[in-house]
């Protein structure tokens, strides 16, 4: 099934351009328009607040989803870790709409929340890769990721499919509501550009493998920093690195680093900066300078048009709302090569299972 690939993770990283294209196809109707189940868009549009509940990588996708839904539908969104929400529920609005994001659809922490949401009679949807999964059956409605089976423990193509699907949901719901941003957003075109950009990046494996060797081969810890969407991807980048390379890593809001954590920067500490947005990106560059002057070994991933001399990886230019779909590709590959170069079990890291069915 892996074919010529040494690991499922690398195969699944490589599949992402095709997954993006398939996702668009699956949600395009006979007249060539994006379409989402009417029950879902009306539940979202009738709600006064969306609550996204998830764990791990799916939770990270939820943060990007918040940005997309707020931008394209003007409905406020909260993002919650399932295991916290289950036992410490925040104040819920009058007309909430719950979105459970789960690749497997079997995560016990998320199910725990869904059981309570059902008891309370709230509207819900599960965004999952697995039709007929527990979370899919128990929520009122389902959107599928159509990403194909994800075998590697470290989630890659499910994360990008989750963000793509949330973008489609936000766009369609926004258009139904006549939201100007949603109407003006040519998502099919933009996701086509995303798929092309992903392809460019998955073809830069040697460059990224060399960077992993240079920056991550002996370190015990590492930091990812960014602002806005780049912060959300920094959290996902750090999780990916931790779980398969066992390097202690943290994804940090770039501006917050100096409020304490900068004390951890030593001679040679790797700090990887993500820069996909102009104003916030220029501040992140300032934060990179701060850590460099304290000895950090920096690596910069920047978007075309914002690049500076010396940046290590340049992302093809795509729409500012969709940057996580491309900025995550090189950080997935950095994690993959860091794990490989350390001789670790890339697809089956220690202490982890693909679906976590205990609370
Ligand atoms: C990280 C990873 C986990 C899962 C988390 C949620 O690579 O795979 O963090 O994202 O356990 O799993 P699902 O999405 O199946 O609910």
């Amino acid at each position: 099934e892996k074919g010529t690939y040494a690991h499922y993770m690398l195969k699944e990283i490589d599949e992402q351009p095709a997954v993006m294209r398939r996702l668009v196809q699956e949600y395009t109707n006979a007249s060539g328009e994006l379409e989402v189940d009417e029950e879902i868009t009306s539940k979202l549009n009738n709600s006064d607040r969306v609550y996204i509940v998830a764990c791990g990588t799916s939770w990270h996708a939820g943060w990007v989803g918040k940005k997309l839904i707020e931008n394209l539908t003007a409905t406020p969104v909260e993002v919650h870790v399932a295991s916290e929400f289950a036992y410490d529920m925040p104040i819920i609005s009058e007309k909430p709409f719950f979105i459970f994001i789960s690749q497997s659809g079997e995560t016990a922490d998320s199910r725990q929340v869904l059981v309570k949401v059902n008891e309370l009679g709230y509207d819900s949807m599960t965004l999952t890769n697995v039709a007929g999964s527990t979370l899919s059956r128990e929520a009122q409605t389902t959107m599928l990721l159509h990403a194909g089976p994800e075998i590697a423990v470290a989630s890659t193509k499910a994360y990008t499919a989750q963000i793509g699907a949330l973008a489609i949901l936000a766009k369609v719901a926004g258009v139904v509501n006549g939201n100007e941003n949603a109407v003006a957003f040519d998502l099919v075109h933009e996701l086509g550009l995303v798929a092309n950009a992903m392809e460019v990046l998955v073809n830069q494996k040697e460059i990224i493998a060399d960077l992993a060797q240079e920056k991550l081969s002996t370190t015990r810890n590492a930091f990812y920093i960014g602002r806005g969407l780049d912060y959300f991807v920094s959290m996902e980048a750090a999780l990916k690195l931790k779980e398969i390379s066992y390097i202690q890593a943290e994804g940090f809001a770039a501006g917050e680093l100096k409020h304490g954590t900068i004390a951890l920067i030593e001679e040679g500490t790797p700090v990887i900066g993500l820069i996909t947005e102009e104003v916030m990106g220029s501040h992140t560059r300032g934060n990179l300078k701060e850590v460099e002057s304290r000895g950090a070994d920096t690596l910069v991933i920047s978007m075309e048009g914002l690049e500076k001399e010396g940046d290590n990886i340049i992302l093809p230019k795509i729409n500012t709302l969709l940057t996580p779909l491309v900025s995550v590709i090189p950080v997935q590959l950095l994690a993959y090569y860091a794990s490989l170069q350390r001789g670790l079990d890339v697809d089956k890291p220690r202490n982890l299972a693909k679906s976590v069915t205990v609370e």
Side-chain angles (χ1 to χ4, degrees), residues 29-57:
N29 65 21
S31 30
E33 303 284 320
L34 284 175
E35 188 175 281
V36 172
D37 183 356
E38 212 263 333
E39 189 186 347
I40 294 176
T41 53
S42 66
K43 284 191 153 99
L44 195 162
N45 284 336
N46 287 330
S47 75
D48 59 1
R49 189 169 288 255
V50 173
Y51 293 79
I52 292 178
V53 178
C55 310
T57 289

Side-chain angles (χ1 to χ4, degrees), residues 25 134 163 183 201 216 232 247 315 349:
Q25 248 172 30
T134 305
I163 293 171
V183 172
L201 292 163
L216 300 170
F232 304 149
I247 295 170
L315 309 167

Side-chain angles (χ1 to χ4, degrees), residues 80-340:
H80 292 273
V81 161
S83 57
E84 285 296 305
F85 195 100
Y87 298 97
D88 189 14
M89 239 192 229
I91 294 171
I92 309 288
S93 67
E94 285 277 299
K95 285 191 292 176
F97 179 55
F98 281 84
I99 300 180
F100 292 86
I101 307 178
S102 176
Q103 188 284 130
S104 63
E106 301 297 342
T107 299
D109 289 318
S110 299
R111 177 165 187 253
Q112 181 71 16
V113 180
L114 179 52
V115 167
K116 292 192 176 165
V117 160
N118 282 340
E119 279 167 13
L120 293 164
Y122 296 140
D123 283 345
S124 62
M125 171 189 118
T126 292
L127 177 58
T128 181
N129 204 21
V130 183
S133 57
T134 305
L135 284 161
S136 170
R137 282 185 278 107
E138 295 184 0
Q140 291 170 330
T141 54
T142 294
M143 264 183 90
L144 292 175
L145 297 175
H146 300 291
E150 191 181 65
I151 311 290
V153 163
S155 180
T156 54
K157 64 176 178 173
Y159 172 81
T160 43
Q162 285 161 349
I163 293 171
L166 288 162
I168 290 169
L169 170 63
K171 155 82 184 173
V172 175
V175 167
V176 169
N177 253 1
N179 181 289
E180 280 176 26
N181 290 347
V183 172
F185 193 41
D186 188 353
L187 184 58
V188 172
H189 174 71
E190 300 293 351
L191 286 177
L193 298 180
V194 163
N196 297 345
M198 286 172 155
E199 222 144 59
V200 169
L201 292 163
V202 297
N203 286 319
Q204 294 184 6
K205 293 192 181 71
E206 284 98 60
I207 297 170
I208 297 172
D210 288 348
L211 284 168
Q213 186 68 49
E214 186 192 324
K215 307 278 183 183
L216 300 170
S217 59
T218 59
T219 192
R220 286 185 57 244
N221 60 356
F223 291 90
Y224 274 95
I225 64 170
R227 293 168 181 244
L229 288 171
D230 296 332
Y231 168 41
F232 304 149
V233 177
S234 294
M235 295 195 287
E236 170 59 7
L239 178 60
K240 225 69 321 167
L241 190 61
K242 275 185 278 201
E243 67 183 330
I244 59 170
S245 78
Y246 314 148
I247 295 170
Q248 183 165 23
E250 204 167 352
F252 233 81
E256 186 64 11
L257 200 68
K258 59 184 168 301
H259 297 284
T261 305
I262 199 165
L264 294 174
I265 304 296
E266 295 175 353
E267 198 57 42
T269 306
V271 178
I272 303 168
L274 297 177
I275 295 174
T276 66
E277 199 273 344
E278 196 166 1
V279 177
M280 285 190 284
S282 65
H283 290 297
T284 300
R285 285 202 191 272
N287 302 128
L288 285 164
K289 286 272 167 298
E290 286 161 11
V291 294
E292 267 170 13
S293 72
R294 286 148 179 100
D297 186 8
T298 58
L299 186 162
V300 181
I301 301 174
S302 61
M303 186 150 283
E304 205 182 309
L306 304 175
E307 75 271 32
K308 290 254 158 66
E309 209 189 313
D311 288 359
N312 305 86
I313 299 170
I314 311 299
L315 309 167
K317 193 167 171 50
I318 54 137
N319 189 284
T320 48
L321 271 182
L322 300 174
T323 55
L325 293 170
V326 303
S327 59
V328 79
I329 307 287
V331 306
Q332 292 169 343
L333 286 166
L334 280 171
Y336 174 79
Y337 286 110
S339 175
L340 194 70

